[in-house]
Amino acid sequence: MTSNDDYVIEVLEDLGLVTHGQVAEARQAVTGEKTPVDVLVDTKVLAKRDVLMALAGQFGMEMIDLGGVDVSANVLSTVSPEVARRYRIVPLYENDGVLTVAISDPLDVDTLDSLRYVLRRDVEGVVALPEQVEETIRRYYTEPESSEDTVMGSDDDAIGLAGTSTQGVMDQGAATEADTPIIKLVSLIIVQAYRNRATDIHLEPLEKRFRVRYRIDGVLHEVESPPKRLQPAIISRVKIMAQMKMSEKRVPQDGRIQIKVLGKELDLRVSTVPSSHGESIVMRILDKENLAMGLSKLGFFADDQQKFERMIALADGILLVTGPTGSGKTTTLYACLNYLNRSDRKIITVEEPVEYQLSGINQVQMRADIGLTFAVALRSILRQAPNIIMIGEIRDFETADIAVHSSLTGHLVFSTLHTNDAPSAITRLVDIGVKPFLVASSLKGIMAQRLIRRICDNCKEQTQAVPAQLHLLGPAGEQLKDVPVYKGRGCNECAMTGYKGRMGIFEIFEITDEVREMIFEKVSAAGLRVRAREMGMRTLREDGIRKIVSGITTVEEVLRVTMGDVA
């Protein structure tokens, strides 16, 4: 009947439905997976209906007979066939916004909690015989199961470790039948995030609730959160999937989940950090199919793309991509490697971590815990005779020095730096200890970038720029005074945000002979920037304004991502 057999027996004895002697005899007769309660029902000492009625009474629930119940089409439409089958429930009626459903196990309170989360509404339960519930589901839900049921764990295409079924994942975590609602709930959180085009899932323990947020197009959106009491089970489930240490809750951990969602292979990069009210978890969703993008999909206009392609086609030198965390630097570098990946070139990357597996490219995972740092890995891979090297990030002098000398010995080196604009990358390299003449000799180009949200094509409409916004844009905003601009009204396609998808805005700084002279003379970043603009460099904000004029994004969005930058 249930895994809480001792509790069930105690209730039955208290109500006088069985004696202590009958229970003792039943315990002696238990075989296989049967419980003492099963034996009492099989030997007619108890009726299954009496057991369910007794347990229902303990939880203040009603016991009903589904044999004569007719459910209206409106109520049936509130629960999909997949959800009804998955949770073994029957929707019965709705009153004051509360949906009443029939369940067969009054002890299974997790099912009701999961349903409240899945259906986004209040749910109450009544109890019915298991065979009646199954028969009623068959009677009302005759359609074949959809692919969503597959996603939630019914066969080999289910969400789980890539190449295995959900049951395989359950086995790794020693999951039991009692764990199934939590497994399905975590699966649902991941599936909904993927469907909403989220790039991150944030599971955040707060004092009185367990918050779930999705980062969609770079902006966090809170979604309906599961009950606080499910927090430990959900966190444990995610840690099992990511193959983390279950007993370790005092220090941060990193893990990875490879799963298949709706037939697509996804990587989830998982990070846990201890907080005041439990472990905070962030799952970054890496969609392998999005990696196949060409340079044109990054958001370049034709003139910028030609300039960038010319820079990355050089035989040697260093090309840097700069910007804050989350500005798409790694995606840009991967797109460059895809563009350059040919059978006659050897490409090696050193990353922390390796975010995507690239076909035909040798990728090295940095591991500082065993001494495999960027610098150590770089020294080794130079003996592998690569043509092109990608370094995940230049952080210190040792890494920068090896990158510079690699570029001067005939290698093309790609890397990233955390600077706000392109010219600042030069002073950053000098600040960490690279000699100015080496910077001038090795550096071929720098590109700063940010990600902006695209206006949703489905609800795009013309509007007029607000004068206060144009003032905030500075001198560059003058060109928008008499130009129509656009915004998204908000629709179901874009979840009422007015935006759908993202693209880059770019600041491309080509290192010419004149710039090399300025670097050698230790000209400041401000001086380099002034000269770069005189030579035709377009700033991030100016590129954003071009995309406003083209109807791709909004004034508000360009202001949001460039407010801290120099116009």
Side-chain angles (χ1 to χ4, degrees), residues 437-509:
F437 77 91
L438 290 175
V439 175
S441 302
S442 60
L443 205 55
K444 302 296 184 181
I446 308 165
M447 185 174 75
Q449 70 176 61
R450 301 287 189 279
L451 291 176
I452 56 170
R453 292 181 290 175
R454 290 175 175 267
I455 299 172
C456 173
D457 290 330
N458 190 56
C459 60
K460 184 177 180 179
E461 62 183 17
Q462 188 173 319
T463 184
Q464 200 67 33
V466 179
Q469 293 176 332
L470 299 184
H471 176 72
L472 288 172
L473 284 174
E478 292 293 318
Q479 59 185 291
L480 294 177
K481 275 188 174 179
D482 302 314
V483 174
V485 296
Y486 297 86
K487 69 175 183 179
R489 185 178 59 256
C491 64
N492 290 333
E493 288 284 320
C494 60
M496 305 307 294
T497 63
Y499 299 97
K500 188 174 182 182
R502 289 193 291 176
M503 68 186 305
I505 55 174
F506 307 99
E507 179 177 288
I508 302 176
F509 186 16

Side-chain angles (χ1 to χ4, degrees), residues 315-329:
D316 55 27
I318 297 177
L319 177 69
L320 295 176
V321 180
T322 76
T325 301
S327 59
K329 300 186 298 295

Side-chain angles (χ1 to χ4, degrees), residues 158-178:
I159 187 168
L161 293 182
T164 71
S165 67
T166 298
Q167 185 60 47
V169 180
M170 291 167 60
D171 291 344
Q172 289 195 15
T176 66
E177 186 66 27

Side-chain angles (χ1 to χ4, degrees), residues 170-189:
M170 291 167 60
D171 291 344
Q172 289 195 15
T176 66
E177 186 66 27
D179 297 318
T180 302
I182 295 299
I183 292 173
K184 292 177 178 177
L185 181 55
V186 172
S187 297
L188 180 70
I189 291 171

Side-chain angles (χ1 to χ4, degrees), residues 65-361:
D65 184 352
L66 290 179
V69 170
D70 288 321
V71 183
S72 71
N74 286 340
V75 172
L76 283 174
S77 67
T78 62
V79 177
S80 69
E82 294 78 22
V83 171
R85 293 189 189 98
R86 187 181 311 135
Y87 293 102
R88 294 184 177 85
I89 58 101
V90 178
L92 297 176
Y93 53 85
E94 187 177 11
N95 187 22
D96 292 333
V98 179
L99 180 67
T100 298
V101 301
I103 62 175
S104 58
D105 185 356
L107 295 177
D108 188 10
V109 292
D110 282 342
T111 287
L112 294 177
D113 280 333
S114 298
L115 282 171
R116 292 182 186 109
Y117 183 79
V118 170
L119 301 177
R120 304 291 196 268
R121 65 188 306 154
D122 288 334
V123 177
E124 290 185 353
V126 295
V127 181
L129 290 170
E131 52 268 28
Q132 287 190 343
V133 171
E134 295 292 340
E135 174 56 34
T136 308
I137 291 172
R138 282 194 295 270
R139 177 157 38 108
Y140 284 116
Y141 296 108
T142 57
E143 303 94 317
E145 296 187 11
S146 75
S147 61
E148 182 178 352
D149 193 49
T150 298
V151 171
M152 299 310 292
S154 61
D155 64 13
D156 287 342
D157 289 329
I159 187 168
L161 293 182
T164 71
S165 67
T166 298
Q167 185 60 47
V169 180
M170 291 167 60
D171 291 344
Q172 289 195 15
T176 66
E177 186 66 27
D179 297 318
T180 302
I182 295 299
I183 292 173
K184 292 177 178 177
L185 181 55
V186 172
S187 297
L188 180 70
I189 291 171
I190 295 172
V191 171
Q192 286 300 113
Y194 176 73
R195 283 179 167 164
N196 291 345
R197 302 177 295 105
T199 54
D200 302 299
I201 303 170
H202 294 251
L203 306 178
E204 301 167 315
L206 305 178
E207 184 178 3
K208 295 183 179 177
R209 62 194 184 102
F210 185 51
R211 183 167 66 180
V212 178
R213 294 194 288 177
Y214 297 155
R215 189 182 297 279
I216 303 170
D217 294 333
V219 178
L220 282 170
H221 298 269
E222 186 167 349
V223 297
E224 188 167 342
S225 301
K228 175 72 173 176
R229 66 184 184 80
L230 297 183
Q231 173 184 313
I234 292 172
I235 291 174
S236 295
R237 174 60 187 160
V238 173
K239 290 173 72 174
I240 288 170
M241 294 174 71
Q243 298 183 5
M244 295 178 175
K245 294 180 181 178
M246 296 299 298
S247 59
E248 185 55 79
K249 300 178 181 180
R250 301 164 300 171
V251 297
Q253 293 190 71
D254 292 306
R256 196 167 201 142
I257 304 171
Q258 291 186 304
I259 58 174
K260 186 182 286 186
V261 174
L262 297 173
K264 291 189 177 182
E265 297 283 350
L266 298 182
D267 276 351
L268 269 63
R269 209 171 76 198
V270 185
S271 169
T272 69
V273 174
S275 68
S276 301
H277 305 290
E279 290 176 282
S280 175
I281 292 181
V282 175
M283 292 183 277
R284 185 173 183 189
I285 301 173
L286 305 173
D287 185 354
K288 294 179 180 179
E289 293 191 7
N290 288 342
L291 187 61
M293 64 171 62
L295 292 175
S296 60
K297 299 291 182 66
L298 296 177
F300 288 112
F301 280 135
D303 55 346
D304 281 345
Q305 184 171 335
Q306 289 176 0
K307 186 187 296 184
F308 189 65
E309 286 178 357
R310 187 168 64 248
M311 287 165 54
I312 67 175
L314 296 171
D316 55 27
I318 297 177
L319 177 69
L320 295 176
V321 180
T322 76
T325 301
S327 59
K329 300 186 298 295
T330 303
T331 300
T332 295
L333 290 185
Y334 278 144
C336 292
L337 296 183
N338 272 333
Y339 178 80
L340 297 170
N341 190 13
R342 299 203 311 253
S343 59
D344 61 339
R345 290 173 174 159
K346 181 164 182 123
I347 302 175
I348 301 182
T349 73
V350 185
E351 305 170 63
E352 183 196 17
V354 173
E355 293 194 5
Y356 295 97
Q357 299 292 334
L358 299 173
S359 177
I361 293 176

Side-chain angles (χ1 to χ4, degrees), residues 385-401:
N387 302 105
I388 299 169
I389 301 168
M390 187 191 100
I391 306 168
E393 183 185 347
I394 293 178
R395 300 177 180 175
D396 52 40
F397 168 73
E398 195 174 13
T399 304
D401 188 55

